[in-house]
Structures are given as C-alpha cells and as structure tokens.
C-alpha cells in the first residue's frame, strides 16, 4: 500500500513510528524494546502478560513470516525471543524485538495516508479489511478500500474523515474515534514530511477502544534536514546496521562521532591512530581493527564499512607488517579501490614493518596517497577531512 519509491525515504521502525504516533496522542499498546532474551523477559513482566513479541526490521508481513508471536508466560517469552532475536526475516537479521501488551481485538481496520501521484494529491485510505491481507485486498478488491483525496493547502477536513470512515463501512460505535485517528495521521504525515503513514491493523476492542497495533512511517529523505529528531532515529538504526556489518565481516568495530575513518591491523595500532587523529585536531569516525592477514577481500570489506558511514570524510590506513606482509596489504588496497568507479573519500596509507618498501612501491598512487610516517599520514587525513567539510559546508 506504499507509493512506489520514486524518491528515497527513511523508514522508521515500528517502535519508532509508534513513539511518534503516541506523542501525537494516538493510542498504542504499552511496550518495551528488547535486544536479548533476558531483556524480553523483564520487558514482558513490566508490560504485563499476555504480550506480543515483534521483530523490528524494515519489512512488512512479519506476522506471516514468523516474526511475531503472542505469548503468556515467561517460558514462552524465552522461547519466542530466542527464535525471533537473531532470526533472518526476508533478508534482514533481527536484532531488536518490541515486547508489547497484547491487544484483545474484535476487529482489524486499515488506515493510511500516502501520495497519490496519479492524482497529484495525498490520499487518505480506510478499510474494514485490515490485518495481514491488506495487500491482497488492494490488489484484488480495491473497492474495499475507501479513498479520500486531500487538498494539501487545506488538509483533511473533518467531514472528509467522516466520509472516508462511513464510506469504508466502519461501525457507528467507533466511527468518530477512527475518523479522529485518520485526522491525526494526516496531520503527522503532513507535518513530518512523510511519504507514507499507515496503521494496519488499527485494532478495535470489545470495549470499542481504537488502538494502533502496528505502525509504518516513511520520511522523504530530502526533508530529513527539517526533521532532526527523526533523522536521529535513523542514525540509531544506522549505527546498528554498521555494527551488524562489522560482525558479519569479523572485524572489531566501534562507531564514533567524528569524520576521519580509521583502519588498522591490531588493536594497539588502531588506538594509537585514534590518539594521533585527535592530537592533530581531527575527530575519529570509528575504531576498526581488521586483524592479521589483510587480503584484498578483508581490505575491501573494511573500506565498505568506513565508506558506508555517512559521517566519514577521509580515511587513514595504518598497517604494520608482521605476519601481515606490506606487499600483500598493498595489493589488497589496490584491488579494493580498483572496484570503485569513483573512490568516495580520500584514502591515505601508511605502511611499516615487513615488506613495507615493496608495499609502498606497489600502492597505486592514483588511488591513494602514501605517507612514510604515521604522523604525516594522520595529519594528511585530518586535513583532507577538513577540506571536504569546508567544501560541503
Ligand atoms: P506485520 O505482519 O508486519 O504487518 O505486523 P502486525 O503488527 O500488523 O501484526 C500482524 C498480525 O499479528 C496482526 O494483524 C494481528 O492479527 C496479529 N497481532 C499483532 N499484534 C497483536 C496483538 O497485540 N494481539 C493479537 N491478538 N494479535 C496481534
Ligand atoms: Mn501490519
């Protein structure tokens, strides 16, 4: 039900979108985020049984794919959290689960706001066939989704909200509450520069309460600069992504705040490089130890990591050849950089130790800058980072 991604969007996780929804006054189930089985148990106790344990990954259809479990006891929480945390869901590894008070519902509705590009206007949508099959409903019986176009200059008028809700066949008892949810969702969509905002399902309880049981919110990338709190949510998940990547590559990696990417072989060497970057007035973007035997693939994985960090403006390699031979690392760096059509950031290399001279000869100076001492290499990387900063400011 989302607009085709013709522009880039930042996707919020369910728990993040629910924070935004709750701040706007929408009713969401009580919940706590968990990253381990023990945390899930503590969370379930504080939330109160029964709970839904929900994988936090950027894909829909988690329910059908086994990413959501309803449980009623500590033993069941353990089992569910163990299977969900670390599972792979449609290509994404799950590192976080939302432990949420389970809603006892009698009905599942769908409400959503997106941009109708054909009409050139936002559209508010309501359906009484909410739940896991809404995509099918949209494809097979689109008439079951009531659509109300909105003039962005005026917003969603209350009468339009009511028309959409009654048009979709929502029962009288909850109609005004659902219309008010739709109104709030539209205001959020508009104020937060969203491309899509969706609640599916919007659960209706036996007591006619209306609860947002799931939440989707995608933000137009080009507008993120004016949504700093949402942008911060992205770097939260972004840091996770980088650290996950590091785990897959088998690197020791810590993301820091600065803009000078640092790659070295050996923890002490990397620490020294961090200190020197600081000493020369720069700010390290990370700690990255690629360990011994740095063949092309490892080097290229390391570059992939530092280049993926949006803060990085310059990179310094600090390699000390022991068992790792300088010529081998040099070949690795060449090969890794030859794979890029355009090297995204300036790379400075300092090689010392076994076969360092051969290595420096081998390094392709069209691709990297080579410095004979660590001090010079770091100073140059710090300057490169400052130049780029100046150029892009
Ligand atoms: P999605 O599959 O990724 O869209 O995840 P949802 O959060 O929409 O959950 C999918 C389905 O799981 C819902 O439509 C419900 O049927 C079920 N479900 C999710 N949360 C709860 C809950 O709190 N209580 C109950 N009873 N069912 C839930
Ligand atoms: Mn859903």
């Amino acid at each position: 039900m989302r607009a085709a991604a013709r522009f880039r969007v930042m996707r919020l996780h369910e728990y993040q979108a629910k924070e935004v929804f709750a701040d706007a006054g929408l009713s969401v189930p009580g919940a706590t985020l968990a990253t381990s089985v023990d945390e899930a148990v503590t969370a379930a106790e504080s939330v109160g049984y029964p709970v839904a344990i929900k994988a936090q990954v950027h894909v829909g259809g988690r329910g059908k794919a086994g990413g959501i479990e309803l449980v009623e006891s500590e033993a069941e929480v353990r089992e569910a959290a163990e299977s969900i945390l670390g599972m792979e869901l449609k290509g994404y590894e799950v590192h976080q689960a939302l432990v949420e008070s389970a809603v006892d519902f009698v009905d599942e509705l769908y409400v959503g706001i997106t941009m109708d590009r054909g009409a050139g206007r936002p559209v508010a949508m309501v359906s009484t066939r909410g739940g896991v099959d809404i995509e099918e409903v949209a494809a097979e019986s689109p008439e079951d989704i009531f659509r109300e176009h909105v003039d962005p200059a005026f917003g969603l008028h209350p009468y339009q909200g009511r028309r959409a809700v009654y048009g979709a066949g929502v029962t009288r008892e909850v109609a005004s509450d659902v219309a008010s949810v739709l109104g709030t969702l539209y205001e959020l969509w508009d104020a937060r520069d969203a491309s899509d905002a969706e609640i599916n399902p919007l659960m209706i309880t036996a007591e006619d309460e209306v609860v947002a049981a799931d939440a989707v919110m995608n933000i137009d990338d080009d507008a993120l600069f004016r949504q700093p709190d949402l942008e911060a949510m992205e770097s939260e998940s972004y840091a996770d992504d980088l650290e996950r990547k590091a785990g897959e590559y088998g690197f020791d990696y810590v993301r820091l705040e600065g803009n000078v990417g640092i790659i070295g072989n050996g923890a002490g060497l990397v620490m020294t490089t961090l200190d020197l970057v600081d000493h020369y007035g720069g700010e390290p973007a990370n700690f990255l130890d690629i360990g011994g035997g740095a063949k092309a693939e490892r080097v290229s994985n390391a570059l992939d990591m530092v280049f993926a960090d949006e803060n990085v403006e310059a990179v310094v390699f600090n390699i000390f050849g022991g068992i790792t031979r300088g010529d081998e690392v040099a070949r690795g760096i060449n090969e890794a950089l030859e794979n890029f059509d355009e090297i995204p950031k300036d790379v400075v290399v300092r090689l010392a130790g076994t076969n360092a001279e051969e290595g420096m000869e081998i390094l392709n100076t069209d691709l990297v800058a080579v410095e004979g001492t660590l001090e010079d290499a770091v100073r140059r990387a710090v300057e490169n980072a400052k130049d780029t900063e100046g150029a892009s400011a």
Side-chain angles (χ1 to χ4, degrees):
M1 294 291 280
R2 283 138 221 178
R6 269 171 253 197
F7 52 94
R8 283 178 46 82
V9 297
M10 172 208 163
R11 293 180 288 180
L12 301 187
H13 281 298
E14 175 192 9
Y15 78 92
Q16 296 171 325
K18 279 180 168 166
E19 269 171 41
V20 175
F21 287 7
D23 283 348
L26 295 177
S27 168
V28 301
T32 306
L33 196 67
T35 57
S36 70
V37 174
D38 286 336
E39 274 178 33
V41 171
T42 315
E45 272 155 19
S46 79
V47 165
Y49 289 104
V51 293
I53 307 213
K54 311 179 76 180
Q56 298 298 292
V57 281
H58 290 304
V59 292
R62 294 163 303 164
K64 283 186 173 171
I68 297 178
E69 294 204 40
L70 289 173
V71 296
E72 300 194 352
S73 67
E74 178 179 336
E76 284 179 1
V77 172
R78 283 197 182 279
E79 204 178 315
E82 218 142 309
S83 94
I84 288 175
L85 289 168
M87 86 188 295
E88 186 158 314
L89 209 63
K90 299 182 176 178
Y92 289 80
E93 202 175 315
V94 180
H95 293 272
Q96 299 172 307
L98 193 60
V99 179
E100 188 171 78
S101 172
V103 182
D104 194 6
F105 64 92
V106 292
D107 248 324
E108 293 184 296
L109 309 182
Y110 166 89
V111 297
I113 315 286
T114 191
M115 181 58 84
D116 180 345
R117 280 161 195 283
R121 293 194 162 197
V123 61
M125 296 170 288
V126 181
S127 175
T128 53
R129 298 184 57 190
V132 296
D133 294 323
I134 194 70
E135 310 283 338
E136 258 166 56
V137 174
E140 284 159 25
S141 36
E143 67 281 1
D144 286 350
I145 299 169
F146 192 95
R147 291 159 198 268
E148 181 77 29
H149 284 97
V150 183
D151 183 335
F154 295 101
L156 181 77
H157 289 295
Y159 77 85
Q160 290 184 294
R162 287 194 296 274
R163 184 158 71 195
V165 165
Y166 283 112
V170 173
T171 57
R172 194 156 286 279
E173 291 71 35
V174 293
S176 76
D177 284 350
V178 175
S180 127
V181 167
L182 191 65
T184 304
L185 197 62
Y186 180 83
E187 279 165 25
L188 277 176
W189 180 89
D190 185 40
R192 307 317 304 263
D193 293 304
S195 59
D196 314 87
E198 256 185 26
I199 303 174
N200 183 38
L202 181 65
M203 286 182 174
I204 312 295
T205 68
E207 293 76 39
D208 290 334
E209 280 163 329
V210 176
V211 183
D214 191 10
V216 168
M217 200 161 169
N218 299 329
I219 312 298
D220 178 356
D221 243 19
D222 290 331
L224 273 183
F225 73 94
R226 55 184 189 192
Q227 305 291 348
D229 56 332
L230 302 182
E231 194 173 24
M233 289 180 176
E234 178 172 48
S235 49
E236 243 174 63
S237 3
Y238 211 75
D240 295 343
D241 283 353
L242 284 172
E243 271 160 29
R244 186 196 68 219
K245 223 178 222 193
E248 285 165 9
Y249 290 150
F251 294 144
D252 280 328
Y253 173 85
V254 182
R255 193 183 192 210
L256 304 166
E257 308 269 289
N259 62 3
V260 181
I262 296 169
I263 302 173
N265 64 329
L269 207 63
V270 178
M271 288 305 294
T272 307
T273 318
L274 251 75
D275 283 346
L276 271 179
V277 166
D278 180 67
H279 176 78
Y280 287 117
E283 285 182 72
N286 64 273
F287 173 101
L288 201 178
D289 175 10
I290 59 174
K295 290 232 162 47
E297 195 190 340
R298 266 185 104 61
V299 174
S300 117
N301 289 344
L303 281 168
D304 180 41
M305 288 218 47
V306 287
F307 288 155
D309 180 343
E310 70 220 312
N311 292 341
V312 166
E313 300 289 4
V315 179
V316 57
F317 263 97
N318 184 13
I319 302 292
F320 191 88
I323 299 168
T324 306
R325 290 174 10 231
D327 54 328
E328 203 175 278
V329 176
R331 275 191 206 94
I333 294 175
N334 283 350
E335 275 177 47
L337 288 171
E338 278 156 11
N339 287 332
F340 289 91
D341 289 335
E342 195 183 341
I343 296 165
K345 304 292 169 191
D346 287 336
V347 178
V348 184
V349 182
R350 176 263 187 168
L351 277 179
T354 313
N355 293 3
E357 307 225 310
E358 290 91 324
M360 289 201 266
E361 296 272 301
I362 289 168
L363 279 170
N364 180 347
T365 50
D366 290 337
L367 305 176
V368 295
V370 182
E371 292 288 353
T373 72
L374 179 57
E375 287 78 3
D376 287 343
V378 167
R379 215 178 302 149
R380 185 149 177 182
V382 169
E383 272 162 27
N384 287 347
K386 289 215 167 108
D387 289 349
T388 321
E389 232 170 22
S392 62

